[in-house]
Amino acid sequence: MISLAVKYRPKEFNDVSGQSYTIKILENQINTKQIKNGYLFCGASGCGKTTIARIFADKVNNGKGIPIELDAASNGGIDNIRQLITEAGFKSLDSEYKVYIIDECHVISSTSFQVFLKTLEEPPEKTIFILCTTDPQKVPLTIQNRLQRFDFLRMDLETIEKRLFYILKKEGMENNISKDAVKYIAKTAHGGMRDAITNMDKVLSLYNDKKITIENVLNILQLSDYDILLNILLNIKTDMSETLKIINDAFLQGKDLKLLINQMIEFGLEIIKGDLIGFENTEIPSIYHKDIKDKINNSIWLKELLNRLIDLKYKIQYEGFCKPYIEAFVISEYYNVNRQ
């Protein structure tokens, strides 16, 4: 069965969420016949680079032909680039322009880029190169200077939510999942539309005639276990044995303790942000807001703990077995607090 991310991939500029300025410029270039030979699309994964490249290729050719797509991760060697340069010299047989879309171009080797440079300086007539990357600083400046660069923005939360609700309505599943759950999926995608749609698709695949809740989303996507994180914060100052038990239980359940420390840091940061800008603006699910407000009311202590957790993170980053270090940290925290 086709995934929702593929099924609802935009095929027209009007269907694209966000990136309005980039789209306006590209549409204007098409309308005025000011099309360039080389473009560099930069931005985070899932923000629409390849989708817009495909739509642009379709529009410049009035729907004729198809672009030639290359994954630089497997086609970025010098022999691949030389072959591309040779083939680019031949005119397209089924469209006005021959369009190459090169994904993850930053992995192309420096030697291959040097070979490619001359072609970008003097490209074959009616040939367009669209290079896409999530890591533009790895693309040599000599290459960037010969391309028209567009920086794609992460999607804002409202835009992602609107798209998710649109897809649910089209699929007839708007009553299968709570609005809070959809909003939480959108929030944890960190501005990536594709990630949000993919995660919602995963959640919906386990629908069993009961409305999906935030709790279901947390379990299905295996996001931070907020029950564990909250229990550690509530006990670390007052109940050393309970905190050690929580850590040990997490270890026996197969949880990555280094990841747990990272999640503790993120959780503590979100709580502090919640105190400052409101918990509705954090990534903490709404079902935990009341408990946090009622039970964690010393943000100064939390800020100090956060700094010590960051120090712990760097101490254990190269340790193969970090459990003793984390347990020592818990014991130290308890005695430091209770000596005062």
Side-chain angles (χ1 to χ4, degrees), residues 35-39 56-57 60-61 97-101 123-130:
I35 298 164
K36 312 305 177 187
N37 289 106
Y39 296 88
F56 181 71
V60 297
N61 281 319
Y97 290 91
K98 180 178 279 189
V99 183
Y100 288 90
I101 300 173
E125 188 178 1
K126 300 291 185 177
T127 300
I128 300 171
F129 297 101
I130 305 176

Side-chain angles (χ1 to χ4, degrees), residues 119-169:
T119 300
L120 292 177
E121 284 180 333
E122 300 175 8
E125 188 178 1
K126 300 291 185 177
T127 300
I128 300 171
F129 297 101
I130 305 176
L131 279 63
C132 303
T133 178
T134 56
D135 205 353
Q137 63 267 26
K138 292 184 179 178
V139 179
L141 288 177
T142 51
I143 296 293
Q144 294 194 39
N145 291 339
R146 287 155 178 81
L147 302 169
Q148 188 168 91
R149 174 170 171 165
F150 290 89
D151 289 292
F152 284 61
L153 305 176
R154 290 183 181 273
M155 305 288 180
D156 63 76
L157 187 59
E158 184 179 350
T159 298
I160 296 177
E161 287 179 8
K162 185 177 178 180
R163 186 65 175 173
L164 294 183
F165 283 120
Y166 167 81
I167 292 173
L168 285 169
K169 186 174 182 180

Side-chain angles (χ1 to χ4, degrees), residues 180-315:
D180 285 344
V182 176
K183 290 184 176 185
Y184 187 67
I185 291 171
K187 189 179 291 186
T188 55
H190 302 119
M193 182 67 77
R194 184 179 62 228
D195 290 344
I197 297 172
T198 299
N199 284 340
M200 187 174 73
D201 197 2
K202 183 178 179 181
V203 169
L204 291 173
S205 68
L206 290 180
Y207 174 69
N208 57 358
D209 297 330
K210 293 182 180 179
K211 181 171 282 194
I212 295 169
T213 64
I214 287 182
E215 292 93 330
N216 300 138
V217 171
L218 291 170
N219 290 331
I220 293 168
L221 299 184
Q222 297 182 352
L223 300 171
S224 296
D225 192 327
Y226 289 98
D227 288 321
I228 292 177
L229 300 179
L230 184 56
N231 281 334
I232 290 175
L233 282 186
L234 292 177
N235 287 285
I236 197 167
K237 289 194 301 180
T238 59
D239 194 335
M240 178 176 60
S241 62
E242 179 61 23
T243 308
L244 291 173
K245 182 179 182 302
I246 295 169
I247 298 294
N248 189 58
D249 288 346
F251 173 74
L252 293 177
Q253 291 168 16
K255 295 187 182 297
D256 183 338
L257 294 187
K258 290 182 182 179
L259 178 60
L260 182 64
I261 296 302
N262 287 339
Q263 291 173 343
M264 282 293 301
I265 294 169
E266 293 169 4
F267 185 49
L269 179 60
E270 291 297 309
I271 292 175
I272 294 170
K273 285 164 60 178
D275 281 340
L276 296 173
I277 61 176
F279 282 91
E280 67 277 4
N281 297 310
T282 70
E283 291 191 5
I284 300 173
S286 56
I287 55 175
Y288 293 97
H289 291 179
K290 187 177 186 306
D291 268 355
I292 292 172
K293 291 175 184 177
D294 291 346
K295 298 175 182 178
I296 299 179
N297 51 21
N298 188 341
S299 58
I300 295 177
W301 165 79
L302 188 55
K303 291 172 188 174
E304 293 172 350
L305 176 65
L306 198 60
N307 288 330
R308 291 192 288 273
L309 281 169
I310 292 172
D311 289 338
L312 175 64
K313 171 186 174 178
Y314 288 108
K315 285 179 182 177

Side-chain angles (χ1 to χ4, degrees), residues 16-22 41-49 52 150-156 159-160 190-193:
V16 178
S17 301
Q19 317 306 343
S20 57
Y21 287 107
T22 294
F41 289 179
C42 309
S45 177
C47 66
K49 300 183 299 297
I52 290 178
F150 290 89
D151 289 292
F152 284 61
L153 305 176
R154 290 183 181 273
M155 305 288 180
D156 63 76
T159 298
I160 296 177
H190 302 119
M193 182 67 77

